[in-house]
């Protein structure tokens, strides 16, 4: 452990995902493949949306930003995770706080982007005649700016709260990344106020986004129930299906991780569950939004034809 002035730790050791030697190589290859699929998938979706004019719509504008966030989120977490499988994984105090900041920034931003997408689906299904008027480019840009601004504010609160704590007894973080809960456990300061602040910030994000998403889909469901044709039902469900799957995966894994009690036994479960929203969800989102999407398949054909010519 490297200790600086006032007995503060200046370097941390990340334990990693597991300390079982026989699992190091298989897990390294698994997460390396996960990283490659995530990067290729999200970059491909970003490129397709950018290059094809028929995808320049509000829905794909939000998907573009979602893919950008997932790509960055994965690149913030996965490199240090992979390093933990091949060598002792150290990270400076400043590097740890930077990783924590960007992790919180992208997680919070994704919550608000998914919320904006729920509102977009509500307008598209319940107010179709007003859709182009309501969701014009300036409104979409404002929603995205608000999402990133709220994400930035939340990340600043979490990181600022952590920087004020003292770390003097140990430098070993029982995790594969610098997350809030493992750092609080490691601190030799009183963490009551920090835990309260972090709980308030997380609760605010979850309550606001969940409320808007719930109301949007309640109104969508009410509207769908008044649709008499099977074609209308199919179109409505195909429009919302991908978004609902993404919300279920992201919020489900995130809430399960942060609702665990602060016991030693829960750390292993937290690491396992956190993999879902740090690695698996960013990998699956491009697949969810493209495999059954006619617009994206058409964009792929057009792009391939353009490249071939």
């Amino acid at each position: 452990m490297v200790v600086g002035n006032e007995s503060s730790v200046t370097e941390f050791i990340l334990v990693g995902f597991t300390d079982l030697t026989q699992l190091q190589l298989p897990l390294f290859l698994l997460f390396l493949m996960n990283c490659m699929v995530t990067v290729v998938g999200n970059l491909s979706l970003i490129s397709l949306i950018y290059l094809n004019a028929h995808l320049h719509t509000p829905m794909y504008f939000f998907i573009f930003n979602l893919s950008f966030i997932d790509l960055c989120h994965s690149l913030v977490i996965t490199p240090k995770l992979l390093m933990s499988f091949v060598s002792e994984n150290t990270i400076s105090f400043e590097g740890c706080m930077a990783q924590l900041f960007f992790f919180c920034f992208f997680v919070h931003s994704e919550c608000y982007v998914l919320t904006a997408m729920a509102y977009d689906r509500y307008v598209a299904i319940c107010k179709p005649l007003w859709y182009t008027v309501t969701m014009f480019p300036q409104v979409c840009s404002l929603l995205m700016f608000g999402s990133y601004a709220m994400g930035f504010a939340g990340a600043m609160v979490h990181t600022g709260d952590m920087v004020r704590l003292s770390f003097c007894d140990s430098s070993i973080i029982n995790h594969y990344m610098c997350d809030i809960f493992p750092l609080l456990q490691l601190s030799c300061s009183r963490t009551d106020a920090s835990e309260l602040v972090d709980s308030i910030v997380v609760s605010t994000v979850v309550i606001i986004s969940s409320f808007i998403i719930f109301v949007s889909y309640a109104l969508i469901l009410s509207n769908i129930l008044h649709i008499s044709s099977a074609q209308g039902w199919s179109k409505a469900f195909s429009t919302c299906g991908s978004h609902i799957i993404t919300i279920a995966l992201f919020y489900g894994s995130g809430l399960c991780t942060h609702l665990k009690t602060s016991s030693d036994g829960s750390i292993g479960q937290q690491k396992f569950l956190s993999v879902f929203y740090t690695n698996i969800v960013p990998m699956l989102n491009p697949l969810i939004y493209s495999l059954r999407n006619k617009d994206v398949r058409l964009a792929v054909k057009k792009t391939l034809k353009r490249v071939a010519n």
Side-chain angles (χ1 to χ4, degrees), residues 291-305:
L291 288 180
R292 297 183 61 187
N293 191 308
K294 294 179 181 178
D295 293 331
V296 174
R297 290 204 300 268
L298 178 61
V300 170
K301 290 178 182 178
K302 285 185 175 180
T303 304
L304 292 175
K305 188 181 293 186

Side-chain angles (χ1 to χ4, degrees), residues 5-55:
N5 294 332
E6 300 181 358
S7 299
S8 61
V9 173
T10 59
E11 188 176 77
F12 293 108
I13 298 172
L14 295 168
V15 170
F17 188 72
T18 180
D19 55 0
L20 297 175
T21 307
Q22 63 270 29
L23 294 178
Q24 299 294 316
L25 181 59
L27 286 175
F28 173 79
L29 295 174
L30 185 65
F31 282 111
L32 179 62
M33 185 177 296
N34 165 267
C35 182
M36 292 171 64
V37 173
T38 301
V39 171
V40 171
N42 283 290
L43 277 178
S44 298
L45 192 54
I46 288 170
S47 301
L48 285 173
I49 294 171
Y50 178 77
L51 293 172
N52 291 271
H54 74 281
L55 297 182

Side-chain angles (χ1 to χ4, degrees), residues 19-238:
D19 55 0
L20 297 175
T21 307
Q22 63 270 29
L23 294 178
Q24 299 294 316
L25 181 59
L27 286 175
F28 173 79
L29 295 174
L30 185 65
F31 282 111
L32 179 62
M33 185 177 296
N34 165 267
C35 182
M36 292 171 64
V37 173
T38 301
V39 171
V40 171
N42 283 290
L43 277 178
S44 298
L45 192 54
I46 288 170
S47 301
L48 285 173
I49 294 171
Y50 178 77
L51 293 172
N52 291 271
H54 74 281
L55 297 182
H56 294 176
T57 64
M59 183 178 77
Y60 288 104
F61 174 73
F62 295 129
I63 293 174
F64 179 96
N65 281 274
L66 184 66
S67 288
F68 172 75
I69 289 172
D70 284 338
L71 176 64
C72 295
H73 188 183
S74 178
L75 294 177
V76 166
I77 302 300
T78 309
K80 296 300 290 182
L81 172 59
L82 291 173
M83 284 180 63
S84 68
F85 293 117
V86 295
S87 64
E88 183 177 81
N89 194 11
T90 59
I91 185 170
S92 66
F93 179 84
E94 293 79 9
C96 186
M97 292 302 107
Q99 187 188 56
L100 175 66
F101 172 82
F102 285 110
F103 166 68
C104 293
F105 172 65
F106 290 122
V107 169
H108 285 210
S109 297
E110 182 152 350
C111 287
Y112 290 115
V113 170
L114 290 172
T115 304
M117 291 174 74
Y119 175 71
D120 173 71
R121 294 302 83 208
Y122 156 72
V123 177
I125 293 173
C126 299
K127 309 284 185 182
L129 298 178
W130 291 91
Y131 184 69
T132 54
V133 177
T134 306
M135 301 302 295
F136 60 95
Q138 288 83 350
V139 169
C140 295
S141 298
L142 188 61
L143 286 171
M144 281 304 95
F145 175 78
S147 298
Y148 288 123
M150 293 290 282
F152 178 82
M156 284 294 290
V157 172
H158 283 307
T159 309
D161 202 39
M162 205 62 63
V163 167
R164 287 193 293 270
L165 298 178
S166 297
F167 299 91
C168 48
D169 295 332
S170 175
S171 64
I172 300 175
I173 300 175
N174 189 13
H175 212 293
Y176 58 84
M177 65 177 179
C178 293
D179 200 359
I180 296 168
F181 182 65
L183 285 169
L184 288 174
Q185 282 194 321
L186 202 63
S187 174
C188 55
S189 305
R190 285 185 60 88
T191 60
D192 298 356
S194 297
E195 289 177 13
L196 178 61
V197 170
D198 291 329
S199 296
I200 290 172
V201 173
V202 172
S203 299
T204 301
V205 174
V206 172
I207 290 171
I208 290 175
S209 57
S210 298
F211 176 75
I212 296 173
I213 290 169
F214 176 79
V215 171
S216 296
Y217 275 105
L219 294 171
I220 288 171
L221 181 60
S222 175
N223 185 271
I224 289 175
L225 293 175
H226 291 87
I227 298 175
S228 56
S229 68
Q231 185 179 2
W233 275 67
S234 176
K235 185 177 180 180
F237 281 117
S238 65

